[in-house]
Amino acid sequence: MVHRIMSLYENEHLQTIIGTVAVLIVFVAFTEMTLRTVAPLVIVFSGMMIYDVIGESYDLPEGTNWLFYGASVFAAGTYLMISNLTSFGGLLALCGLWFVFDGITKIRYGPSQTTHEYVSDLDSGMTETMLRMQTLNVVYQTLRASTKSRTVAEIATDCELTESRVESALKYLESNGRVVQEENRYHAESPRFGRLEPVVQFLVWIPHRVLRPFRRIVVNV
């Protein structure tokens, strides 16, 4: 009996649920939030918790997370639309339907694009993820500061990294147009829009991301 209680106490999902409920109780008790306004958050949280629990027991196809998330967002938006008759609820429900559509097409046809191997297995841990991100930044900034093209060995020496890490980072940066390879040497590609480059890339990415599930259908028809 004691062992069973301890197992429940150590369950991460149960800890998350208890912590979330405690936070919501505090908000309702000490702020102007009510059970009615908290309901949409509970709906979305419940949908994602159901996905996490099922995902631990079954090998779910890629895209199922968007399906569950979209369904919960649609339910939350529908609740807001019915209870408050606000346009925001309708917009939220529409966004939920898009996530559902994206998840269904991803499950049916697979991802629209292949993820680069440098970032495809970042589930290996937070430490490795941070190390790879830091490596990308160090390698790119080293090339930007250099007045000439550099070899992998030269970059590895300047960055105090192994050649294998530098080479994998360079391949990823090259695939994103951040560096250019000429024979066995690399140099940084200056951003076309300067400091506004991240903003421009994001604005270009939005319509591509919105249309991605539709492109899956068109390509596979």
Side-chain angles (χ1 to χ4, degrees):
M1 182 67 179
V2 175
H3 177 71
R4 186 175 182 181
I5 294 176
M6 289 300 297
S7 298
L8 289 174
Y9 178 77
E10 294 175 354
N11 187 284
E12 293 184 2
H13 296 306
L14 183 60
Q15 292 176 0
T16 303
I17 293 173
I18 294 175
T20 304
V21 171
V23 171
L24 293 177
I25 291 175
V26 171
F27 276 128
V28 172
F30 298 101
T31 69
E32 297 181 357
M33 294 185 69
T34 64
L35 292 176
R36 187 176 180 180
T37 57
V38 166
L41 298 178
V42 174
I43 293 172
V44 175
F45 170 75
S46 300
M48 297 312 298
M49 283 302 302
I50 292 173
Y51 166 75
D52 288 340
V53 172
I54 296 177
E56 284 190 355
S57 304
Y58 301 95
D59 185 18
L60 300 176
E62 191 174 356
T64 308
N65 56 333
W66 286 130
L67 181 59
F68 274 82
Y69 178 72
S72 60
V73 170
F74 172 76
T78 302
Y79 170 84
L80 287 175
M81 188 169 53
I82 295 175
S83 61
N84 297 328
L85 298 177
T86 61
S87 57
F88 175 73
L91 179 62
L92 194 63
L94 184 62
C95 290
L97 286 178
W98 180 87
F99 280 114
V100 169
F101 181 56
D102 185 49
I104 292 174
T105 56
K106 195 170 186 177
I107 294 172
R108 176 65 179 84
Y109 301 112
S112 302
Q113 56 188 20
T114 304
T115 304
H116 196 279
E117 61 180 359
Y118 192 81
V119 294
S120 62
D121 60 343
L122 287 185
D123 292 335
S124 52
M126 181 59 69
T127 302
E128 177 64 19
T129 300
M130 295 301 295
L131 179 59
R132 292 190 189 185
M133 295 302 103
Q134 183 180 7
T135 300
L136 287 175
N137 182 61
V138 170
V139 170
Y140 181 67
Q141 294 302 329
T142 298
L143 283 176
R144 286 197 63 184
S146 178
T147 56
K148 60 180 181 178
S149 301
R150 314 294 296 276
T151 64
V152 173
E154 291 171 342
I155 299 171
T157 300
D158 291 343
C159 298
E160 298 182 351
L161 295 168
T162 63
E163 291 189 19
S164 60
R165 279 201 173 272
V166 170
E167 188 172 12
S168 59
L170 286 170
K171 289 180 179 178
Y172 179 73
L173 290 170
E174 185 181 8
S175 69
N176 284 273
R178 306 296 297 276
V179 303
V180 175
Q181 180 182 11
E182 296 176 350
E183 295 182 355
N184 65 333
R185 308 181 74 86
Y186 294 86
H187 66 84
E189 186 75 5
S190 300
R192 185 183 304 177
F193 300 97
R195 294 183 178 180
L196 293 177
E197 185 73 16
V199 177
V200 174
Q201 288 183 348
F202 179 71
L203 294 177
V204 172
W205 173 82
I206 290 177
H208 282 276
R209 184 64 183 92
V210 171
L211 295 175
R212 186 178 298 173
F214 299 95
R215 289 201 301 270
R216 292 192 188 111
I217 294 179
V218 173
V219 170
N220 290 279
V221 167

